[in-house]
Amino acid sequence: MDYNFTITRTTNPKEKPAPGASLGFGKYFSDHMFMMDYHEGQGWHDGRIIPYQNLSMDPASTSLHYGQMMFEGLKAYRNPQGKINLFRPDMNAKRLNRTNDRMCIPPMDEDLFIEAVKAIVKVDEDWIPTEQGCSLYIRPFILSPEVSFSVLPAKHYWFVIIVGPVGAYYEGNESKLHGSHIWVEEEYIRAALGGTGFAKCGGNYGCGMKAAYEAKKRGCEEVLWLDAKEHKYVEEVGTSNAFFMIGDTVITSSLSGSILPGVTRDSVLQLLRKWGVKVEERRLEIAEVMDAIENGTLREAWATGTACVISPIGVLHYHGTQFPINNEIVGDVSQRLYDTLYGMQIGTREDDMGWIVEI
Ligand SMILES: *Cc1c(COP(=O)(O)O)cnc(C)c1O
């Protein structure tokens, strides 16, 4: 379908970061942005590409006060044929609608979402970095500029997509994964059943910051969240999904409602099943993980997400003691998953899963 997004090009292009500059994450943004309105009775309309600019909203806008908003995150890569690769954007479109439903934001046609992503990436394709491990990060989000102090769903929304070059997650040597230190969080929680844990909304991140901040002060990169009710079952690692390989079985939390259904999580599960590795999606007690460390059966653990792809867990900090996993050596399964997924994303490996969408 042709949505006829209008394009207004900037007359004042920015200077791009110098080749080899440290790109970071969320430091640079491209020359343009995608924007579209929703009005009750009219639906989503006036999709347009405009010069990157500030959003102007009344200070009484409802999203600023009550957090009715959502976001998504995905990446674009330049492949060796010079085309652009997106990774499973249909999954982001589906998740956007599940989040929207939870946040009382109107749904959007999946096709419209994907075409909007393609359009902004195409207009700013010169911003896709080509250095090893770097990519163009795509951040779609929805918020409302409607003036209201009533705690009610808005009737007018903006859908915005901004994009920008981001650096390698593993700064310096892309092929060299390393194990991170993870704090097992027993005081704070991320999400309770019935809450917004499965939705990609800012509130989840705001509420998780204090735990991550305190974990960093204690020398850890992230926290391992436990369930909200009993603080007994492992859920996620920071803003990534968590996997544990005990014996020859890979275990991850089932999508119970408090877990964010990661696109990377789903891809990892599919690859492992294809490779004939035993996988279980179930509740996993932190006690079972600690027992497995103690009796030597916890072979590997890793986190998954769009930003890192695969991030091995090197050490768990639990009850004042540090427990190394696999002697802090990156495991074969973590490495194979990373090489396979990242290779498909940048186009150096054949995509035999039908996951890559070329622009
Ligand atoms: C986005 C996110 C993930 C990872 O999802 P991907 O689609 O793999 O990037 C995991 N957990 C949380 C809490 C998230 O917000």
Side-chain angles (χ1 to χ4, degrees):
M1 191 165 165
D2 186 3
Y3 290 98
N4 274 322
F5 304 133
T6 59
I7 301 178
T8 310
R9 287 188 186 269
T10 181
T11 52
N12 188 16
K14 300 173 190 168
E15 202 173 313
K16 295 192 178 62
S22 165
L23 294 173
F25 187 69
K27 204 158 101 183
Y28 297 101
F29 294 95
S30 70
D31 284 319
H32 300 88
M33 61 201 250
F34 181 90
M35 197 152 174
M36 179 164 64
D37 285 81
Y38 176 94
H39 285 93
E40 196 176 59
Q42 205 179 348
W44 293 104
H45 64 92
D46 283 316
R48 57 203 182 270
I49 287 170
I50 54 176
Y52 189 96
Q53 59 194 263
N54 289 348
L55 295 172
S56 170
M57 61 205 300
D58 193 291
S61 295
T62 179
S63 289
L64 295 178
H65 300 269
Y66 302 142
Q68 195 200 9
M69 65 80 66
M70 67 80 58
F71 67 94
E72 268 299 328
L74 64 163
K75 285 176 170 177
Y77 300 87
R78 181 71 67 185
N79 70 27
Q81 290 73 43
K83 298 265 181 55
I84 303 162
N85 279 359
L86 297 176
F87 185 72
R88 308 186 73 189
D90 55 306
M91 294 286 282
N92 298 94
K94 290 191 178 80
R95 186 168 66 194
L96 170 136
N97 279 322
R98 289 194 302 269
T99 300
N100 282 12
D101 180 66
R102 181 64 181 82
M103 299 305 291
C104 296
I105 298 170
M108 180 182 299
D109 279 348
E110 284 175 30
D111 203 36
L112 172 56
F113 172 86
I114 294 168
E115 290 306 313
V117 168
K118 286 183 179 172
I120 183 63
V121 170
K122 191 69 194 159
V123 164
D124 277 336
E125 65 175 320
D126 289 350
W127 283 85
I128 303 174
T130 49
E131 289 95 343
Q132 168 98 45
C134 301
S135 59
L136 188 76
Y137 185 75
I138 305 164
R139 169 54 60 84
F141 61 104
I142 300 175
L143 77 175
S144 172
E146 189 168 306
V147 173
S148 173
F149 283 161
S150 308
V151 186
L152 288 172
K155 298 184 169 95
H156 174 207
Y157 297 89
W158 285 334
F159 172 66
V160 186
I161 309 176
I162 51 177
V163 304
V166 297
Y169 192 82
Y170 300 100
E171 209 67 69
N173 187 346
E174 179 59 20
S175 59
K176 185 115 187 77
L177 304 186
H178 71 266
S180 48
H181 282 244
I182 301 294
W183 181 267
V184 181
E185 180 56 57
E186 294 187 283
E187 181 184 359
Y188 302 110
I189 59 139
R190 188 188 87 89
L193 283 182
T196 53
F198 69 89
K200 222 163 166 77
C201 61
N204 292 337
Y205 281 60
C207 126
M209 274 179 198
K210 191 167 169 72
Y213 176 72
E214 293 193 356
K216 282 188 183 103
K217 282 198 295 195
R218 294 158 176 154
C220 291
E221 277 129 284
E222 264 302 348
V223 300
L224 174 62
W225 295 110
L226 303 179
D227 75 285
K229 192 174 174 193
E230 298 175 83
H231 295 206
K232 188 172 161 187
Y233 301 98
V234 302
E235 296 218 318
E236 298 198 53
V237 173
T239 57
S240 308
N241 295 110
F243 287 78
F244 297 86
M245 185 168 189
I246 300 179
D248 56 8
T249 306
V250 174
I251 308 160
T252 192
S253 320
S254 37
L255 298 177
S256 56
S258 52
I259 308 289
L260 197 288
V263 177
T264 322
R265 174 190 180 278
D266 182 81
S267 309
V268 160
L269 286 172
Q270 287 197 44
L271 283 178
L272 291 173
R273 289 189 175 114
K274 191 179 86 166
W275 295 340
V277 178
K278 258 202 316 208
V279 296
E280 292 177 3
E281 293 176 73
R282 64 167 168 92
R283 301 190 94 185
L284 172 63
E285 284 188 33
I286 184 66
E288 188 179 339
V289 173
M290 299 318 297
D291 284 349
I293 291 180
E294 258 151 43
N295 65 30
T297 53
L298 183 68
R299 288 167 55 189
E300 300 184 32
W302 64 86
T304 69
T306 295
C308 62
V309 189
I310 303 289
S311 173
I313 301 174
V315 181
L316 283 183
H317 292 231
Y318 187 58
H319 290 168
T321 307
Q322 298 189 21
F323 296 90
I325 296 173
N326 194 32
N327 298 316
E328 292 186 61
I329 297 163
V330 174
D332 296 341
V333 179
S334 312
Q335 189 71 52
R336 185 176 177 202
L337 283 166
Y338 178 82
D339 292 343
T340 306
L341 281 170
Y342 181 68
M344 274 189 209
Q345 289 166 347
I346 62 171
T348 54
R349 255 178 209 245
E350 194 206 341
D351 165 27
D352 54 357
M353 305 297 282
W355 286 342
I356 297 300
V357 172
E358 241 188 30
I359 306 179

